[in-house]
Every structure is written in structure tokens, then in C-alpha cells.
Amino acid sequence: MTNTVPKILIVGGGYAGFYTAWKLEKLLRKGEAEVTVVDPLPYMTYQPFLPEVSAGSIEARHSVVALRRHLKRSTVIAGKVTGIEHAKRVATITPIAGSPYQFEYDQIVVTAGAVSRTFPIPGIADNAIGLKTIEEAVAIRDRLMSNFDKASTLPPGPERDRLLTVVVVGGGFAGIEVFAELRSAASALLKFYPQLTFEDTHFHLIEAMGRIMPEVSMKTAEWVLKDLAKRGANVHLDTQVTGAVGGNIELSTGETLPSDLIIWTAGVMANPTVVRGSDLPVEQRGRILTRPDLRVGTEDEVVEGAWAAGDVSAVPDLTGGGVGGYCVPNAQHAVREGKLLAKNLVAVLRGELPHEYFHKNLGAVAGLGLYNGAFQSGKIGLTGFIAWLAHRGYHGLAMPTWERKWRVLWGWWNNLWLGRDMVNLSTVQNPRYVFEEFAARPRPAQTAEKPAAAKKSAATEKVGAKG
């Protein structure tokens, strides 16, 4: 490249991408390199907060971090990287407005994250919603409250039951958290709807395996199951979804659950747009092959100038605790990988050796609705209110930037005294509906034939009057 200043291209502004860029800005000397971040969204989403956003416990905007506000020395491009030709050090950027163009780089960091992994089950693509984005979390919240509004106007019957039935597919952390949070939110809503009772609401979680939350001990998982059962939430273990046509969830047990809110949390996969559009090596599960030092490549071969981290990468877990020998796709790893990647990249630019990524899982915390949670660290398991405090304490501190921390903490403090914010903004999806309904429109222009026809009619009437 003719430019003497190395160009660093970061593909994706999620956890790993944001933390890589954020750390690079602190480590790089002035003029040492140019950093460009490409993402179609102008913010990083703190995904552990999505279940609470769905339940109205956290304001949606407070759970995202504005890239342009906090990456002050990086160039942020609103678009997607739709092709990577690393052999030529060129990427194709497709902006959200305008035509695709070629971008030359010296170092590329692939942190494009993951998307919901679904199966070709009839009706799922048409009727379900995921929980990977802030938009999905907001849509879930608004759909739940809209359904309460609709159900309150209907007599008891199948249609009202369908509106008040929530089905979550997947019993991992995301599935259990959103399931429990929505159960808590629905219970809180009932006091505003005297037409509805607790027995009118139906919550079902479908899990194909024989247990939930594999990240925690069996004892903790069993406690969660018992707690959910006490709250009127049904968990179907060893059960698969075989169909969802027309919103009718068909189960492998033969049971059918009509529902207007189906949430899919049964797994993720590496961002296929980036992975399939690149010439970087990929492992069998569709993730970019990554070495322990976060450079792309294998144990024996390094792809110079290419790095990867987060859910899109297959990073070896040197602790020996990862599934299949790789780090599991979660926020703990993505954040730490991003920070180390930045340090290693700067080290390589300065002719130094990179370090290998090593992180032993600290444990797991889950929020299960207001004042209820589960915590697991090694053999230590906590449940109930103490675990809920641990959940909020950990994520309150883990939320990046003090500006965001204060917004979240202030929101929690207000909710403690004022209650959760249950305002339904579903009509924001169609903000012009009132304007369109009452907007004045030009009258249709009269054609030349109409006046002639009117004259003929008048003449006929005149003749008739003489007769």
C-alpha cells in the first residue's frame, strides 16, 4: 500500500468490535494507524439487557452504546462488509445509502458477531421473533402489551387465549431470562386490566434437551424450574417444535399451542454474510478459524494481517472448558477478546509478539424477573433476591462507558420507586397512521365528458317538462 499509515478495518461494531476499537484508541500513538469501523447500526447493543428491555425494566436506548460518541478517533461507516478478498487486502463495503465500493486495508479485524440460528420448521420464519437485537426486544415488549389491550376487549375464548399465550423456544440463558422476565411483566400488567385474571395468561418454554441452562449446576437449574412452576410458567423438556404455521405451535408430544408471541432463542450462528463473502479460513460450524493469539489461521499457519474475535470466530479455549475445544459465544469472551486483540494488534505493528487468549469462565448470572435471579460460579450457586442483586451488580458494572452506566443505574433507581415503565409504543412501527388518516388530499380532476353529460341530462329534462 502506498499510504505509510497502516489502515485497520474493523468489521462489526458489536461487543468485540467496539472494545477492539475503544482499546486501540487508547493504545495507538497519534498517527500510528487509522481505524475504521463498519456496521449498519450506529450503536453496540449490550445483549444481556435485552430480556429486561423486553419486560420494560430498562429503557431501550440505555442498553446501547453510541459508536460515534465513544469512538472519537475512529471513522465509523454505516454499512455492511459484503466481501473480503484478503489476498488483495480489499473489502467490499455496502453502505446503507449509496453504491458498494472497495476499501483497501492493511489489517482487518472480523468481529461481525452472530445471528439467530433457526431450522427449516414450517411457520417459524413467518411467525417467530428472535432476541439478538434491541429492535426485537422492543417489539416483544410492545407486542405483549398490545395483546393485553386487545384481549381485554374480548370475551373468554380461543382468540383471547391466543393473545395471552407466550411461547419461548430454547432453554439456554437468553430463553430462560426472557421467559421469566415476561412472566413477571405479565403479572405486573394484570392489575391494570380488571377484565383479565392470572389464569387467563399462559406461558410455555420449549426445550429439546432434558434440562435448562447448561451453564449452571443441575441443582440451580432445578430450582429455576420449580420457581417458574410456582409462577404459573410451563417448561416442556425433551420436546421439539415441529411446526408454527399460522401461529399454532405444534410440539413433538402432539400438543398444539396457539400463540401470537413466539420467541426463538434456540441457538446462534456466525454472521453468514461476512463469513461466506470472505476468503478467510472457516471451520465446520461456519466460524472463522482463529488462533489463541486471535490472529486468523491454524496452529501451524498464520494469515498475516487478519484477526477475529467474538461470536464470529472459533477461538481455542486454552482452559479446556469450551465446547468442542473453543470458547463459547458469550459476552464474557467477546469483551476480553476484543481488549486483547487490540493489544496484540498494536504489538504486531510495533514488531512485538502477541499474547494468547486465556480466560476461565467466571460464572453466570441470570435475571428471572424483579427481585429474582440465579447465580453460579464454580460450585457456588445462589438463587432468589441475592442472585438478582448479583445479576444487576455485575451487569451494571460491565456496561461499557460511565455515561451508559449512569443511565442504566438511574433507570433502575427510578423503577424502584415508580415501578417499571409499561408504556406501549407499538404504533411507532407506523408513525404516520394518524397523519395519513386525516390528511387532506386533492380532489380527483373532473373529465371533459362529465360536463357534456350534464348538459345532455339538462336538455332532456327540459323537453320532458314541455311534454
Side-chain angles (χ1 to χ4, degrees), residues 175 272 427 430 446 459:
T427 51
N430 182 25
Q446 290 186 343

Side-chain angles (χ1 to χ4, degrees), residues 11 80-84 91-94 100 273-274 276-278:
V11 183
K80 294 181 179 181
V81 171
T82 52
I84 299 172
T92 301
I93 297 177
T94 302
T273 301
V274 174
R276 295 171 186 170
S278 81

Side-chain angles (χ1 to χ4, degrees), residues 285-356:
R285 294 189 62 185
R287 297 174 297 180
I288 294 175
L289 272 172
T290 309
R291 293 161 50 89
D293 60 12
L294 303 178
R295 288 183 290 181
V296 173
T298 62
E299 185 178 349
D300 302 320
E301 186 178 358
V302 178
V303 179
E304 296 292 344
W307 307 75
D311 295 357
V312 78
S313 64
V315 179
D317 188 344
L318 300 183
T319 68
V323 179
Y326 295 106
C327 295
V328 297
N330 63 22
Q332 272 193 50
H333 286 301
V335 169
R336 289 167 176 80
E337 287 170 7
K339 292 179 180 179
L340 179 63
L341 194 157
K343 293 179 181 178
N344 283 349
L345 203 163
V346 172
V348 168
L349 289 178
R350 295 173 183 173
E352 302 169 4
L353 293 176
H355 293 85
E356 293 185 336

Side-chain angles (χ1 to χ4, degrees), residues 144 151 177 181 226 269 333 359 364 398 405 458:
L144 178 72
E177 284 193 285
E181 290 285 355
K226 291 178 182 178
M269 64 178 180
H333 286 301
H359 172 67
K405 291 185 203 295

Side-chain angles (χ1 to χ4, degrees), residues 119-120 140:
F119 306 102
I140 290 169

Side-chain angles (χ1 to χ4, degrees), residues 347-371:
V348 168
L349 289 178
R350 295 173 183 173
E352 302 169 4
L353 293 176
H355 293 85
E356 293 185 336
Y357 176 74
F358 183 95
H359 172 67
K360 191 171 183 179
N361 191 4
L362 298 175
V365 287
L368 304 175
L370 287 180
Y371 315 121

